[in-house]
Amino acid sequence: MATQESNGSNATIHHETVGDISIAYRTFGSGFPLILIVGYGSTMHIWESAMIQNLASHYKVILFDNRGIGDSSAGSEPFSIEQFAEDTAGLLSALGIQQAHVLGWSMGAMIAQELVLRHPEMVNKLILCSPLCDTKMFPPSFEVIQKLTETSGTPEERGMRSISTLFPDEWMQNNSQRISEVFFRPMGIVPEETFGKQTMAIAFWTGTTDRLGEIGSPVLLVAGTDDCLVIPENSRFMSKKIPNAQLEMIENAGHGLMFQYPELFCEKVIEFLKKE
C-alpha cells in the first residue's frame, strides 16, 4: 500500500489496488464505517474539515477519489455509474469492511444507489443527498443547463457559472466569503478528460426508477427546496418508491446544501444513522 501526505490535511492519503485502478482514500475517526461518495467533477477534498470531523466523532469516515480524478488512476475500464459502484465495493472489500453506512452526493448518490442494489449486503444505512433516479424525469431548466455547458469566458468565470448552479441566487449574493472558503482551496487533480467521461457516464446511466422498490436498507433522502440543478421533486418521487425511506427537505437550500448549512446537514445525518 503506497501512501503520501495529503495536501494541507492532517490525514494521509493511502492507495489500494482495486481491479484495474489504484484508489486514493483517507480515513478519519473510528467506529462503524461511513463512506462518502463525491459528486460530478469533485475530488475527496471537496468535503470540508469541520464536516468530516463532526462525522468522524461518531464513525470511521472514509473519503476517496473516483477513478480518473484526484489521486486515483483512470484504469482501462469504461467509465459508468455501475463501474463507479463496483469500484466503491472493491475499495470496501480491500479495506476488509463487510458493511458500511454509505453517503452519496449528486452523482455520488447515483453511485450509492447502484452500490446498494448490486451489493445490498455491504450497505447498512444509505444517505442520498441531492439525488435523482432518472436523469430525464425531472430535468433542470434550460437556463441551468446553459450555465453548465457554456464554455465562453475565463476559467474563473466558467467556474463561477458552475458554482452558481449549486446555490440559490440570494444566498450566493450574501455569502461570497463562504463560497471562497468552500471552493477557493486546493482540490487536487481534476483532468478535463475525466469531466467528459463522467458526463457520458451520467448520460448513459439508465437509472433506478424500476428498481427503487428493491432497496432494503433504511434510506435518508436530503434535498434543498431551492435546488435548481437536481429538482427537489426527484427526492419526493424517490421517497414514495423506496420502502424504508425518510425525506428531509432543507428550506432555502440548493444543490450544495451541505456547504450552506453544514451543522444542520451533519445533525440530520447523525440523527438518522443513530436511529434504531
Side-chain angles (χ1 to χ4, degrees):
M1 180 190 299
T3 64
Q4 69 186 61
E5 290 305 312
S6 59
N7 190 1
S9 171
N10 58 358
T12 300
I13 293 179
H14 303 273
H15 287 82
E16 283 286 351
T17 299
V18 175
D20 63 321
I21 60 172
S22 171
I23 294 184
Y25 71 96
R26 293 186 293 166
T27 62
F28 300 81
S30 60
F32 195 84
L34 167 63
I35 189 165
L36 276 56
I37 311 176
V38 292
Y40 172 77
S42 300
T43 71
M44 59 180 158
H45 297 290
I46 194 71
W47 306 114
E48 292 187 282
S49 295
M51 188 189 98
I52 296 167
Q53 294 306 325
N54 193 339
L55 296 175
S57 65
H58 301 272
Y59 303 98
K60 178 179 181 178
V61 176
I62 304 161
L63 316 179
F64 72 101
D65 289 328
N66 286 312
R67 65 170 54 219
I69 203 165
D71 291 300
S72 290
S73 61
S76 56
E77 293 293 334
F79 280 39
S80 68
I81 300 300
E82 295 84 354
Q83 182 60 59
F84 298 152
E86 292 301 326
D87 294 340
T88 308
L91 175 61
L92 288 172
S93 294
L95 296 178
I97 296 172
Q98 294 183 342
Q99 191 176 68
H101 298 316
V102 177
L103 186 157
W105 172 45
S106 193
M107 185 186 81
M110 301 178 193
I111 298 168
Q113 290 171 69
E114 289 293 347
L115 177 64
V116 74
L117 288 165
R118 287 165 168 261
H119 302 279
E121 74 287 351
M122 300 188 85
V123 179
N124 189 320
K125 291 188 174 183
L126 180 65
I127 302 111
L128 302 176
C129 184
S130 306
L132 54 78
C133 60
D134 183 335
T135 58
K136 300 177 182 64
M137 185 176 293
F138 301 106
S141 69
F142 173 77
E143 289 76 17
V144 170
I145 294 172
Q146 195 171 35
K147 282 183 180 180
L148 290 173
T149 56
E150 174 62 51
T151 58
S152 66
T154 66
E156 290 75 17
E157 289 170 336
R158 294 198 300 272
M160 284 307 299
R161 277 201 300 270
S162 180
I163 290 170
S164 72
T165 66
L166 300 179
F167 306 107
D169 290 340
E170 184 176 354
W171 189 90
M172 282 276 295
Q173 294 167 8
N174 297 328
N175 290 274
S176 57
Q177 180 59 40
R178 178 68 183 127
I179 290 167
S180 297
E181 291 171 1
V182 174
F183 295 103
F184 299 149
R185 54 194 174 91
M187 292 291 182
I189 304 164
V190 185
E192 282 290 333
E193 183 181 7
T194 294
F195 273 114
K197 289 182 175 181
Q198 287 190 352
T199 299
M200 296 306 292
I202 293 170
F204 283 104
W205 185 51
T206 57
T208 59
T209 307
D210 297 334
R211 296 179 287 154
L212 292 175
E214 300 172 20
I215 297 177
S217 299
V219 177
L220 173 65
L221 299 128
V222 187
T225 59
D226 294 354
D227 189 341
C228 68
L229 188 56
V230 175
I231 309 303
E233 194 58 39
N234 286 282
S235 291
R236 295 190 183 100
F237 174 84
M238 292 173 69
S239 70
K240 296 172 183 175
K241 298 296 183 180
I242 298 172
N244 194 8
Q246 173 185 332
L247 175 63
E248 290 285 352
M249 300 296 296
I250 299 183
E251 293 293 327
N252 305 313
H255 197 65
L257 55 88
M258 75 284 293
F259 303 116
Q260 286 181 264
Y261 308 109
E263 295 85 4
L264 178 61
F265 177 74
C266 287
E267 177 186 315
K268 297 292 185 184
V269 168
I270 293 167
E271 179 184 6
F272 168 72
L273 293 179
K274 289 193 173 296
K275 185 187 302 183
E276 292 296 332

